[in-house]
Amino acid sequence: MQVNVKESVKFVRWPAERDIREQCKAGQHLCLLIVEHGAQPPEQLSLNEDWVRPPIGSDDLYARVRQLAARAVLNSKPLLDPAGILYYKDASVTLSMTQCEMVAPLISRYGNLVYRSELRQILEHSGASSSSNALDLHVMRLRRRLQLIDLAVRNIWGRGFVVEPA
């Protein structure tokens, strides 16, 4: 993976450029904090941040930049792990087994339509009722869980559902 350092990561002196760091956090830009001699690094970092102390070798610097870029790619789309935890940006939520089965196609086609019939088949295979009302109830519960991590389940009337940022 090749990373263009100037375009992908903002280098910010810490703590002198604290305001620039806040701007990076607000805009969710990648930020590498250069911690000044004698200063303590920030106690909490977002997934889009990392820090180093000068002097730092170019190999180490590029390794940190590549790591930040990799985190940003993973962070841009929701990720469902095998334990039933859905991650999105800086948040996560635990889902039931049925919710995991239902959200899997919604996440794999993030931002795109998943047909009602597909979700009803998932409910059938899990042994739950697959009626239209049962599907709507499961989707309502899933909506509530996903709101906790700033995701929305949008209804495409008569066709299906789309998961997208809230």
Side-chain angles (χ1 to χ4, degrees):
M1 174 168 88
Q2 197 166 20
V3 176
N4 186 336
V5 175
K6 289 183 179 180
E7 290 181 18
S8 63
V9 176
K10 179 80 173 171
F11 293 89
V12 176
R13 291 182 307 129
W14 176 261
E17 297 178 335
R18 182 182 310 258
D19 56 333
I20 296 174
R21 177 193 180 211
E22 293 304 318
Q23 291 170 6
C24 289
K25 282 174 72 173
Q28 296 183 335
H29 300 291
L30 300 178
C31 179
L32 185 64
L33 301 172
I34 312 300
V35 179
E36 297 172 342
H37 181 70
Q40 290 294 319
E43 289 184 23
Q44 292 186 341
L45 295 174
S46 76
L47 288 176
N48 292 331
E49 295 179 305
D50 203 351
W51 65 271
V52 296
R53 282 195 196 278
I56 183 170
S58 63
D59 289 343
D60 291 339
L61 178 67
Y62 286 112
R64 293 288 179 106
V65 168
R66 282 192 304 275
Q67 182 64 33
L68 274 172
R71 273 193 242 158
V73 168
L74 286 176
N75 201 25
S76 63
K77 180 180 173 185
L79 176 68
L80 180 63
D81 78 1
I85 301 172
L86 182 64
Y87 297 92
Y88 181 65
K89 296 191 178 181
D90 292 334
S92 64
V93 66
T94 305
L95 301 175
S96 72
M97 187 60 103
T98 302
Q99 289 172 335
C100 287
E101 291 171 359
M102 287 182 63
V103 85
L106 290 162
I107 297 306
S108 69
R109 289 182 269 169
Y110 183 62
N112 294 304
L113 176 70
V114 175
Y115 292 98
R116 290 181 66 87
S117 59
E118 293 176 66
L119 297 178
R120 287 179 76 174
Q121 285 178 348
I122 289 169
L123 289 177
E124 272 181 32
H125 290 295
S126 71
S129 172
S130 62
S131 70
S132 185
N133 287 342
L135 174 61
D136 291 339
L137 179 63
H138 282 284
V139 169
M140 179 193 71
R141 291 177 180 156
L142 186 59
R143 261 192 191 111
R144 288 180 183 161
R145 297 298 293 163
L146 298 186
Q147 282 177 344
L148 298 172
I149 58 171
D150 291 329
L151 286 173
V153 180
R154 186 166 51 104
N155 185 17
I156 308 300
W157 191 78
R159 296 178 66 199
F161 304 94
V162 174
V163 170
E164 59 191 10

